[in-house]
Amino acid sequence: MAEIDVVISGVCAALKAAGVPAAVTSFPFGGKKRHTKPIAAVSVKSGSAISSGFAEYLGEYLDVETGGYYELYGKRLELTVGIGIYSPPDEQHGAIACPKLFSDIAAAVTRLPAGLRVKEISCTETRFDEDVGLFLCEAELSCAAHLYARAEEEGEFLDFRLKGEVVN
Amino acid sequence: MTVFSMLVERYGDDATLHKGDETFAARIFLQPVMTRAQDRRFSQMTPLGERDRGRFYAFLSAGEWEELEYICHRGTEYTVLRMERYRVHGETSHLELLLEKREEEYDGGD
């Protein structure tokens, strides 16, 4: 999985775990659905990669379980994550649901994986988006993502993973 | 019975009209809205998925239905965007509906 996909998935998972009704990656494949509850669409607005160590090499570490030594590699991403907060124009939700959901999201991002360090979260005013037929409040999350990967003894790389990511 | 009613009864298609919990059976004429503009896009990519922007007209007799929400025709659901009455000699001849395909409902559950 590409590193940015790892970060987006981590943000979506954290939002869902915090009770956000639905969190999806922006521009999903397939047709738009008729949303009956508020939804957050997560995307990357900008980013830069910063190499850690020498050519991303962090050193060796001992895996206590296997007893083997592995080479560790790491990288840091500086990202601005866009979170589109959408709410259906009905009596139950309406425009007021957008800032309410932003408050929930602001609380949820304090519980992101350890490898995602939040610097700032902000949002714009709520407006009606004619393209999707929903109220929209656009939030931005500035964060630093720390990813790592380890090389097997044979030198084969594994995917970069988000530090602190919980894997099933 | 109006002239239109006779025409739609004989040549129209079966459809189900929906308003809240009420449903009505009706006969309709359904046709796509075509435009002469060659660069018209009938789908639009949005952050929540691709949206079908194709529009349709439906013509049906006036009945006890008002402010319809959507109709179902041959297994396809259409959201009613607008409904207008056409009057001939001071009487309502038929109704014209502007429709677009109804999106599949999603409440956030996996």
PDB file of all heavy atoms in Angstrom, chain A residues 38 86-99 126 135-136:
ATOM      1  N   PRO A  38     -24.737  12.163   7.944  1.00  0.00           N
ATOM      2  CA  PRO A  38     -23.502  12.901   7.658  1.00  0.00           C
ATOM      3  C   PRO A  38     -22.345  11.957   7.328  1.00  0.00           C
ATOM      4  O   PRO A  38     -22.280  10.840   7.818  1.00  0.00           O
ATOM      5  CB  PRO A  38     -23.242  13.655   8.974  1.00  0.00           C
ATOM      6  CG  PRO A  38     -24.584  13.810   9.585  1.00  0.00           C
ATOM      7  CD  PRO A  38     -25.326  12.543   9.233  1.00  0.00           C
ATOM      8  N   TYR A  86     -19.923  16.363   5.064  1.00  0.00           N
ATOM      9  CA  TYR A  86     -21.176  16.509   4.332  1.00  0.00           C
ATOM     10  C   TYR A  86     -22.356  16.143   5.222  1.00  0.00           C
ATOM     11  O   TYR A  86     -22.274  15.213   6.037  1.00  0.00           O
ATOM     12  CB  TYR A  86     -21.182  15.610   3.092  1.00  0.00           C
ATOM     13  CG  TYR A  86     -20.155  15.963   2.058  1.00  0.00           C
ATOM     14  CD1 TYR A  86     -18.878  15.409   2.091  1.00  0.00           C
ATOM     15  CD2 TYR A  86     -20.451  16.849   1.030  1.00  0.00           C
ATOM     16  CE1 TYR A  86     -17.925  15.732   1.135  1.00  0.00           C
ATOM     17  CE2 TYR A  86     -19.511  17.169   0.066  1.00  0.00           C
ATOM     18  CZ  TYR A  86     -18.257  16.612   0.129  1.00  0.00           C
ATOM     19  OH  TYR A  86     -17.321  16.936  -0.828  1.00  0.00           O
ATOM     20  N   SER A  87     -23.472  16.853   5.029  1.00  0.00           N
ATOM     21  CA  SER A  87     -24.685  16.559   5.795  1.00  0.00           C
ATOM     22  C   SER A  87     -25.896  16.678   4.885  1.00  0.00           C
ATOM     23  O   SER A  87     -26.003  17.623   4.100  1.00  0.00           O
ATOM     24  CB  SER A  87     -24.823  17.540   6.970  1.00  0.00           C
ATOM     25  OG  SER A  87     -26.060  17.341   7.644  1.00  0.00           O
ATOM     26  N   PRO A  88     -26.828  15.713   4.964  1.00  0.00           N
ATOM     27  CA  PRO A  88     -28.018  15.773   4.091  1.00  0.00           C
ATOM     28  C   PRO A  88     -28.923  16.923   4.496  1.00  0.00           C
ATOM     29  O   PRO A  88     -29.053  17.255   5.672  1.00  0.00           O
ATOM     30  CB  PRO A  88     -28.690  14.415   4.321  1.00  0.00           C
ATOM     31  CG  PRO A  88     -28.141  13.892   5.595  1.00  0.00           C
ATOM     32  CD  PRO A  88     -26.798  14.482   5.775  1.00  0.00           C
ATOM     33  N   PRO A  89     -29.592  17.546   3.516  1.00  0.00           N
ATOM     34  CA  PRO A  89     -30.466  18.706   3.784  1.00  0.00           C
ATOM     35  C   PRO A  89     -31.851  18.279   4.261  1.00  0.00           C
ATOM     36  O   PRO A  89     -32.855  18.577   3.615  1.00  0.00           O
ATOM     37  CB  PRO A  89     -30.524  19.393   2.417  1.00  0.00           C
ATOM     38  CG  PRO A  89     -30.401  18.279   1.430  1.00  0.00           C
ATOM     39  CD  PRO A  89     -29.463  17.285   2.068  1.00  0.00           C
ATOM     40  N   ASP A  90     -31.892  17.542   5.360  1.00  0.00           N
ATOM     41  CA  ASP A  90     -33.195  17.154   5.882  1.00  0.00           C
ATOM     42  C   ASP A  90     -33.357  17.707   7.301  1.00  0.00           C
ATOM     43  O   ASP A  90     -32.432  18.265   7.868  1.00  0.00           O
ATOM     44  CB  ASP A  90     -33.347  15.623   5.879  1.00  0.00           C
ATOM     45  CG  ASP A  90     -32.217  14.913   6.612  1.00  0.00           C
ATOM     46  OD1 ASP A  90     -31.728  15.446   7.626  1.00  0.00           O
ATOM     47  OD2 ASP A  90     -31.822  13.818   6.170  1.00  0.00           O
ATOM     48  N   GLU A  91     -34.536  17.549   7.830  1.00  0.00           N
ATOM     49  CA  GLU A  91     -34.860  18.149   9.130  1.00  0.00           C
ATOM     50  C   GLU A  91     -34.024  17.541  10.253  1.00  0.00           C
ATOM     51  O   GLU A  91     -33.668  18.212  11.213  1.00  0.00           O
ATOM     52  CB  GLU A  91     -36.349  17.951   9.425  1.00  0.00           C
ATOM     53  CG  GLU A  91     -36.843  18.694  10.648  1.00  0.00           C
ATOM     54  CD  GLU A  91     -38.346  18.570  10.818  1.00  0.00           C
ATOM     55  OE1 GLU A  91     -38.987  17.894   9.984  1.00  0.00           O
ATOM     56  OE2 GLU A  91     -38.884  19.148  11.771  1.00  0.00           O
ATOM     57  N   GLN A  92     -33.681  16.273  10.121  1.00  0.00           N
ATOM     58  CA  GLN A  92     -32.955  15.591  11.196  1.00  0.00           C
ATOM     59  C   GLN A  92     -31.504  16.047  11.279  1.00  0.00           C
ATOM     60  O   GLN A  92     -30.925  16.091  12.360  1.00  0.00           O
ATOM     61  CB  GLN A  92     -33.004  14.083  10.956  1.00  0.00           C
ATOM     62  CG  GLN A  92     -32.372  13.268  12.058  1.00  0.00           C
ATOM     63  CD  GLN A  92     -32.441  11.783  11.788  1.00  0.00           C
ATOM     64  OE1 GLN A  92     -32.977  11.351  10.774  1.00  0.00           O
ATOM     65  NE2 GLN A  92     -31.890  10.995  12.691  1.00  0.00           N
ATOM     66  N   HIS A  93     -30.905  16.408  10.136  1.00  0.00           N
ATOM     67  CA  HIS A  93     -29.474  16.737  10.124  1.00  0.00           C
ATOM     68  C   HIS A  93     -29.268  18.193   9.706  1.00  0.00           C
ATOM     69  O   HIS A  93     -29.046  19.043  10.549  1.00  0.00           O
ATOM     70  CB  HIS A  93     -28.716  15.788   9.184  1.00  0.00           C
ATOM     71  CG  HIS A  93     -28.879  14.355   9.542  1.00  0.00           C
ATOM     72  ND1 HIS A  93     -29.741  13.512   8.890  1.00  0.00           N
ATOM     73  CD2 HIS A  93     -28.288  13.619  10.516  1.00  0.00           C
ATOM     74  CE1 HIS A  93     -29.673  12.318   9.437  1.00  0.00           C
ATOM     75  NE2 HIS A  93     -28.804  12.348  10.431  1.00  0.00           N
ATOM     76  N   GLY A  94     -29.323  18.497   8.418  1.00  0.00           N
ATOM     77  CA  GLY A  94     -29.206  19.868   7.955  1.00  0.00           C
ATOM     78  C   GLY A  94     -27.815  20.445   8.127  1.00  0.00           C
ATOM     79  O   GLY A  94     -26.842  19.749   8.406  1.00  0.00           O
ATOM     80  N   ALA A  95     -27.725  21.772   7.957  1.00  0.00           N
ATOM     81  CA  ALA A  95     -26.437  22.463   7.993  1.00  0.00           C
ATOM     82  C   ALA A  95     -25.788  22.384   9.365  1.00  0.00           C
ATOM     83  O   ALA A  95     -24.556  22.340   9.477  1.00  0.00           O
ATOM     84  CB  ALA A  95     -26.627  23.921   7.588  1.00  0.00           C
ATOM     85  N   ILE A  96     -26.578  22.370  10.418  1.00  0.00           N
ATOM     86  CA  ILE A  96     -26.017  22.384  11.771  1.00  0.00           C
ATOM     87  C   ILE A  96     -25.225  21.116  12.071  1.00  0.00           C
ATOM     88  O   ILE A  96     -24.333  21.117  12.937  1.00  0.00           O
ATOM     89  CB  ILE A  96     -27.142  22.569  12.817  1.00  0.00           C
ATOM     90  CG1 ILE A  96     -26.549  22.919  14.175  1.00  0.00           C
ATOM     91  CG2 ILE A  96     -28.012  21.330  12.909  1.00  0.00           C
ATOM     92  CD1 ILE A  96     -25.830  24.250  14.220  1.00  0.00           C
ATOM     93  N   ALA A  97     -25.478  20.045  11.339  1.00  0.00           N
ATOM     94  CA  ALA A  97     -24.753  18.799  11.599  1.00  0.00           C
ATOM     95  C   ALA A  97     -23.282  18.902  11.214  1.00  0.00           C
ATOM     96  O   ALA A  97     -22.444  18.172  11.739  1.00  0.00           O
ATOM     97  CB  ALA A  97     -25.409  17.645  10.850  1.00  0.00           C
ATOM     98  N   CYS A  98     -22.955  19.805  10.293  1.00  0.00           N
ATOM     99  CA  CYS A  98     -21.563  19.926   9.835  1.00  0.00           C
ATOM    100  C   CYS A  98     -20.627  20.413  10.943  1.00  0.00           C
ATOM    101  O   CYS A  98     -19.629  19.740  11.243  1.00  0.00           O
ATOM    102  CB  CYS A  98     -21.483  20.843   8.616  1.00  0.00           C
ATOM    103  SG  CYS A  98     -22.086  20.084   7.089  1.00  0.00           S
ATOM    104  N   PRO A  99     -20.896  21.559  11.574  1.00  0.00           N
ATOM    105  CA  PRO A  99     -20.004  21.970  12.668  1.00  0.00           C
ATOM    106  C   PRO A  99     -20.025  21.016  13.852  1.00  0.00           C
ATOM    107  O   PRO A  99     -19.023  20.861  14.545  1.00  0.00           O
ATOM    108  CB  PRO A  99     -20.522  23.372  13.054  1.00  0.00           C
ATOM    109  CG  PRO A  99     -21.885  23.472  12.488  1.00  0.00           C
ATOM    110  CD  PRO A  99     -21.913  22.589  11.297  1.00  0.00           C
ATOM    111  N   THR A 126     -19.966  26.585   6.647  1.00  0.00           N
ATOM    112  CA  THR A 126     -20.822  25.599   5.999  1.00  0.00           C
ATOM    113  C   THR A 126     -21.558  26.241   4.829  1.00  0.00           C
ATOM    114  O   THR A 126     -22.067  27.354   4.937  1.00  0.00           O
ATOM    115  CB  THR A 126     -21.844  25.040   7.003  1.00  0.00           C
ATOM    116  OG1 THR A 126     -21.140  24.432   8.088  1.00  0.00           O
ATOM    117  CG2 THR A 126     -22.723  23.989   6.345  1.00  0.00           C
ATOM    118  N   PHE A 135     -25.024  19.694   2.385  1.00  0.00           N
ATOM    119  CA  PHE A 135     -24.297  20.765   3.052  1.00  0.00           C
ATOM    120  C   PHE A 135     -22.848  20.326   3.226  1.00  0.00           C
ATOM    121  O   PHE A 135     -22.566  19.156   3.477  1.00  0.00           O
ATOM    122  CB  PHE A 135     -24.915  21.087   4.416  1.00  0.00           C
ATOM    123  CG  PHE A 135     -26.221  21.824   4.319  1.00  0.00           C
ATOM    124  CD1 PHE A 135     -27.418  21.183   4.575  1.00  0.00           C
ATOM    125  CD2 PHE A 135     -26.248  23.160   3.965  1.00  0.00           C
ATOM    126  CE1 PHE A 135     -28.625  21.853   4.477  1.00  0.00           C
ATOM    127  CE2 PHE A 135     -27.447  23.844   3.862  1.00  0.00           C
ATOM    128  CZ  PHE A 135     -28.638  23.187   4.115  1.00  0.00           C
ATOM    129  N   LEU A 136     -21.921  21.283   3.095  1.00  0.00           N
ATOM    130  CA  LEU A 136     -20.498  20.952   3.139  1.00  0.00           C
ATOM    131  C   LEU A 136     -19.748  21.926   4.026  1.00  0.00           C
ATOM    132  O   LEU A 136     -19.928  23.143   3.922  1.00  0.00           O
ATOM    133  CB  LEU A 136     -19.908  20.993   1.725  1.00  0.00           C
ATOM    134  CG  LEU A 136     -18.383  20.949   1.611  1.00  0.00           C
ATOM    135  CD1 LEU A 136     -17.839  19.629   2.158  1.00  0.00           C
ATOM    136  CD2 LEU A 136     -17.946  21.135   0.170  1.00  0.00           C
TER     137      LEU A 136
END
